[in-house]
């Protein structure tokens, strides 16, 4: 939580003013005749939790003078947009990762169409720490991976924003979940 940026509407407005984005009709800011417009994508397959998260972001950005368009997109559409057409400004994207190295190609390295760094993130501190952590055996690298991920959040390259808790119940069974689904090989049945 210490790496999360603070939320300060007045400071955001001051920064936008300093950058030349002046408040115009309807409270929407403009600079050099161009309105501050943001296209925000969210995964429609998650349903209402993702739509609600997108609406919360929209309200926060509207409060500082942005015109925000929400677009619910299914998985194939998200892959096509963020991995190819780049017709987006911001996105609420689910990334289900089991271990820290799985995040690396999404936040560093080549950009589409040559790689999966779809947000074109260039965070040198993350790359340095992730490279060091990847060379450490077992759990030895965990603190370094944590610092690497914190570097992404501190730079606001990525921001953990929303999660949906989906309880799963079983009678006479024990199981593990991975990425929101029951892991079939983990199911153990018991007589009651």
């Amino acid at each position: 939580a210490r790496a999360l940026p603070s939320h300060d509407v007045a400071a955001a407005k001051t920064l936008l003013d300093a950058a030349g984005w002046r408040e115009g009709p309807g409270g929407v800011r403009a600079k050099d005749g161009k309105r501050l417009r943001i296209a925000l994508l969210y995964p429609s397959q998650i349903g209402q939790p993702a739509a609600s998260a997108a609406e919360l972001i929209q309200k926060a950005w509207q409060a500082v003078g942005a015109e925000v368009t929400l677009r619910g997109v299914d998985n194939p559409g998200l892959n096509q947009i963020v991995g190819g057409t780049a017709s987006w400004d911001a996105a609420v994207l689910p990334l289900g990762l089991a271990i820290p190295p799985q995040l690396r190609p999404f936040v560093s390295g080549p950009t589409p169409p040559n790689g999966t760094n779809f947000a074109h993130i260039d965070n040198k501190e993350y790359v340095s720490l992730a490279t060091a952590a990847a060379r450490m055996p077992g759990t030895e690298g965990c603190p370094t991976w944590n610092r690497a991920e914190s570097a992404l959040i501190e730079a606001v390259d990525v921001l953990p924003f929303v999660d949906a808790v989906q309880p799963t119940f079983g009678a006479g069974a024990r199981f593990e979940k991975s990425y929101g689904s029951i892991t079939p090989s983990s199911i153990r049945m018991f007589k009651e």
Side-chain angles (χ1 to χ4, degrees):
R2 64 175 170 69
L4 293 174
S6 61
H7 180 77
D8 188 335
V9 173
K13 287 181 175 182
T14 299
L15 288 170
L16 287 166
D17 285 338
W21 291 96
R22 303 285 179 235
E23 196 170 314
V28 176
R29 293 177 177 272
K31 180 178 179 179
D32 301 326
K34 183 177 179 184
R35 291 167 64 90
L36 180 56
R37 290 188 171 121
I38 302 172
L40 176 64
L41 304 180
Y42 68 90
S44 61
Q45 78 278 5
I46 294 176
Q48 192 55 48
S52 295
E55 289 170 7
L56 183 61
I57 294 169
Q58 180 184 44
K59 286 182 193 236
W61 286 344
Q62 286 172 335
V64 298
E67 180 181 309
V68 183
T69 303
L70 300 181
R71 225 173 116 201
V73 184
D74 62 13
N75 272 344
L78 281 173
N79 289 338
Q80 182 182 15
I81 292 167
V82 300
T85 64
S87 60
W88 62 289
D89 300 311
V92 175
L93 293 175
L95 286 175
L97 310 168
I99 56 175
Q102 292 175 322
L103 178 63
R104 201 170 180 184
F106 296 108
V107 297
S108 65
T111 59
N114 302 315
T116 55
N117 182 1
F118 52 81
H120 297 249
I121 295 171
D122 183 19
N123 187 313
K124 290 173 183 30
E125 184 179 1
Y126 172 82
V127 170
S128 175
L129 290 166
T131 299
R135 293 184 178 129
M136 297 175 187
T139 59
E140 183 182 320
C142 291
T144 307
W145 280 116
N146 287 340
R147 286 198 325 270
E149 291 171 0
S150 291
L152 291 170
I153 294 167
E154 288 166 0
V156 196
D157 289 327
V158 298
L159 189 62
F161 182 75
V162 65
D163 195 7
V165 177
Q166 297 175 324
T168 304
F169 302 94
R174 186 177 68 218
F175 49 83
E176 295 174 9
K177 289 177 69 175
S178 178
Y179 308 116
S181 298
I182 295 173
T183 305
S185 61
S186 74
I187 299 171
R188 301 292 181 265
M189 302 302 294
F190 300 97
K191 289 185 178 182
E192 297 215 0

